[in-house]
Amino acid sequence: MAATGKNIGVDPSENMLKTGKDRCQGHENVEFAAGVADNLPVSDGTADKAVG
């Protein structure tokens, strides 16, 4: 997780999204969204990197 910028965790599983949210509590630059790696739920040109 980067210390600056925004980090978006993406997973199709609600359980994994909850786990990620629980583990990242207190980190203001982290958000989570339901989705899959080959169809990320972000607008074109808004992300610098995607890590699988």
Side-chain angles (χ1 to χ4, degrees), residues 24-46:
C24 292
Q25 284 183 347
H27 295 280
E28 299 298 321
N29 63 336
V30 180
E31 62 184 62
F32 292 87
V36 293
D38 61 351
N39 189 15
L40 294 174
V42 296
S43 301
D44 288 345
T46 61

Side-chain angles (χ1 to χ4, degrees), residues 4 16 31 42 48:
T4 61
M16 290 304 294
E31 62 184 62
V42 296
D48 294 326

